[in-house]
Amino acid sequence: IGPMGSGKTEYAARLWRDAAVARKKGSAISYLTSGGGTQKELFEPESGIGTADRRNTFFVRNALDRSRFRDYPEDALAYRGGYERCGRCIATISNSFDLEETIKNIKSKIGDGNAVIALSGGIDSSVAAAITEKAIGNRLYAVFVDHGLLRKGEAELVSKAFSGHDINFKKIDAKDRFFKKLNSITDPEKKRMIIGEEFIRIFEEEAKKIGADFLVQGTIYPDVIESGRSHHADTIKSHHNVGGLPESISFKEIIEPLRDLYKDEVREVGRKLGLPKKIIDQYPFPGPGLAVRITGPVTEENIKICRDASAIVEDELEKASIENIWQAFAVTLEDRVVGVVGDQRKFGRIVGLRIVESQDAMTANFKKLPWDLLENISTRITNEIPEVVSVAYFISHKPPQTIEPC
């Protein structure tokens, strides 16, 4: 899995995920200890927890003995001392993801039928598409919905990236449809639910045209946890492809080949599949798009401010060659503040910047950027986007603040 990165808490969450897989398979979970050795815990399906060297496994065993760590990784902070005994642990799980086995299972489920994949152009759905393409070839229909809430230039990038593949690619312009449904909605959970249902209805319509009974999605493990679909987990925010799904769906089955993986693991699978670096290394982007990066209603102005400001953020970070950024974007806030433009008073908009480093988004730290870089970003935003008079920088970690604001 790799170093823990932004904090000690990610380790417990991954350990629980891996332990669950290990229990099902009766396989071993191994990790590096502070002394450089490798310890293993054997998980028998019946007994659950095995034994290993006590001195080096204090934190591991405490994490495994407490089910709340599975869904609330921040609780592991209470066992920080145990973590120190274990050292900078690196957890791995034997046979946790077998690409060939996954392809075989998809073939078995779909058989001679057709499938529709919800393609967003992000790393998760792109990897899911590549895996499913290997399983059923041109019987996979990739439906890319442009809901008018995408990043600048994203529709063109996705169309170009998937042209020439052995899948049937179709782009659907659905901006008016989504904007009408989202009119005057400000509650982020309602936005997510509306967007999730509208996505499904479009996929159902397209599936009916081609006789597809299966829907493939790029759902990953953090989506499941944050949507409250994991044991003991509360709903933090409903992801459009999990908690945002409507109760009534016409598909025979929803196939989620990446459901047990974290984002960095998905990226590794993408590299093995030979996906373009631009797709693999892009910042994560939510399915509901810019609708959940504005605190107010979905309007042309709000979305344009968010889209243009985010493009400036990404451009300046790329020019500055800043490394180890998990996510970077702008947030359009509904509040307004007084500004001065020329000699005139202006009651203008506020843009918040959210730039974080993380291993897998379960926890995150805000990125400590150089002041001159932040100044460049702020100056460009206020100069190039006339509605904006103030730029703020979020300096809260996750937890308590989630990475996405809404």
Side-chain angles (χ1 to χ4, degrees):
I1 291 175
M4 286 184 60
S6 63
K8 301 177 177 66
T9 60
E10 294 170 27
Y11 183 68
R14 285 187 183 232
L15 196 57
W16 259 114
R17 185 280 313 268
D18 292 347
V21 175
R23 287 192 189 98
K24 291 178 183 177
K25 297 186 176 184
S27 57
I29 183 169
S30 61
Y31 54 90
L32 301 181
T33 70
S34 55
T38 300
Q39 297 291 338
K40 285 191 175 182
E41 290 273 3
L42 179 64
F43 293 93
E44 299 294 344
E46 297 82 12
S47 60
I49 297 177
T51 59
D53 180 80
R54 279 171 48 194
R55 181 176 61 82
N56 282 320
T57 60
F58 179 91
F59 175 78
V60 176
R61 292 183 59 76
N62 272 282
L64 291 172
D65 284 338
R66 288 163 174 79
S67 62
R68 68 178 181 275
F69 288 175
R70 186 186 321 170
D71 303 311
Y72 301 108
E74 63 269 22
D75 286 353
L77 286 172
Y79 294 89
R80 185 177 294 162
Y83 171 86
E84 297 300 341
R85 292 194 196 187
C86 184
R88 286 191 62 78
C89 298
I90 301 175
T92 60
I93 178 67
S94 304
N95 304 316
S96 63
F97 185 79
D98 186 322
L99 181 57
E100 294 305 318
E101 185 67 22
T102 301
I103 293 170
K104 182 180 176 181
N105 288 339
I106 294 173
K107 281 182 179 178
S108 176
K109 286 181 178 181
I110 298 177
D112 296 328
N114 298 324
V116 167
I117 182 161
L119 184 67
S120 68
I123 179 63
D124 303 333
S125 65
S126 297
V127 171
I131 292 173
T132 309
E133 178 190 357
K134 286 187 173 293
I136 64 172
N138 61 9
R139 289 182 289 114
L140 176 65
Y141 293 78
V143 178
F144 172 56
V145 179
D146 183 353
H147 47 16
L149 305 168
L150 299 172
R151 289 171 287 196
K152 183 172 282 189
E154 188 161 28
E156 294 75 17
L157 173 65
V158 174
S159 298
K160 182 178 180 181
F162 285 90
S163 61
H165 283 254
D166 192 25
I167 57 176
N168 305 284
F169 177 81
K170 183 175 183 180
K171 175 177 176 287
I172 296 176
D173 294 310
K175 175 184 173 181
D176 292 342
R177 179 170 176 169
F178 277 86
F179 271 56
K180 183 178 180 180
K181 291 277 187 178
L182 291 166
N183 182 42
S184 76
I185 303 296
T186 58
D187 181 89
E189 272 297 289
K190 288 182 179 178
K191 289 179 186 177
R192 290 174 178 274
M193 294 296 184
I194 290 169
I195 291 169
E197 175 162 6
E198 208 59 27
F199 268 132
I200 284 292
R201 298 312 171 210
I202 291 174
F203 298 141
E204 287 175 337
E205 292 165 11
E206 295 303 312
K208 188 175 181 180
K209 295 175 185 176
I210 60 173
D213 293 325
F214 300 89
L215 175 66
V216 183
Q217 292 193 144
T219 308
I220 64 174
Y221 194 64
D223 297 340
V224 178
I225 292 178
E226 290 196 333
S227 295
R229 296 305 172 93
S230 176
H231 187 54
H232 296 313
D234 192 12
T235 300
I236 299 170
K237 54 189 177 186
S238 295
H239 288 258
H240 72 290
N241 54 354
V242 187
L245 293 177
E247 292 184 8
S248 174
I249 298 175
S250 65
F251 291 101
K252 182 183 295 185
E253 185 176 348
I254 295 179
I255 297 173
E256 299 170 317
L258 309 175
R259 189 180 177 92
D260 289 329
L261 299 185
Y262 284 86
K263 184 78 72 175
D264 58 313
E265 296 169 323
V266 174
R267 285 195 171 109
E268 193 57 39
V269 175
R271 291 186 185 97
K272 291 180 181 178
L273 291 167
L275 288 180
K277 191 174 185 298
K278 184 77 172 177
I279 294 288
I280 292 173
D281 293 335
Q282 66 178 308
Y283 297 138
F285 188 64
L290 301 179
V292 292
R293 289 182 176 175
I294 60 175
T295 58
V298 175
T299 64
E300 293 281 0
E301 178 181 298
N302 283 344
I303 295 300
K304 186 177 186 304
I305 291 173
C306 190
R307 179 182 290 125
D308 291 348
S310 291
I312 291 171
V313 170
E314 293 192 24
D315 183 49
E316 288 297 321
L317 290 173
E318 184 177 357
K319 287 194 296 187
S321 299
I322 302 296
E323 298 180 345
N324 300 321
I325 293 178
W326 176 265
Q327 222 163 336
F329 55 89
V331 181
T332 305
L333 303 177
E334 193 64 10
D335 290 333
R336 286 166 169 74
V337 295
V338 175
V340 178
V341 180
D343 294 328
Q344 301 294 315
R345 176 186 186 275
K346 184 170 184 177
F347 200 45
R349 305 300 297 272
I350 308 170
V351 162
L353 307 180
R354 187 65 165 147
I355 304 171
V356 300
E357 52 187 6
S358 178
Q359 170 93 358
D360 53 22
M362 292 299 297
T363 62
N365 289 349
F366 77 87
K367 186 71 174 178
K368 297 175 178 65
L369 295 174
W371 285 112
D372 58 347
L373 175 57
L374 287 171
E375 182 181 12
N376 289 344
I377 294 172
S378 175
T379 300
R380 278 194 62 187
I381 289 174
T382 53
N383 283 347
E384 297 176 28
I385 306 174
E387 296 88 352
V388 180
V389 298
S390 179
V391 177
Y393 189 41
F394 292 107
I395 57 170
S396 297
H397 303 313
K398 175 186 180 181
Q401 182 183 355
T402 56
I403 298 176
E404 297 288 347
C406 304

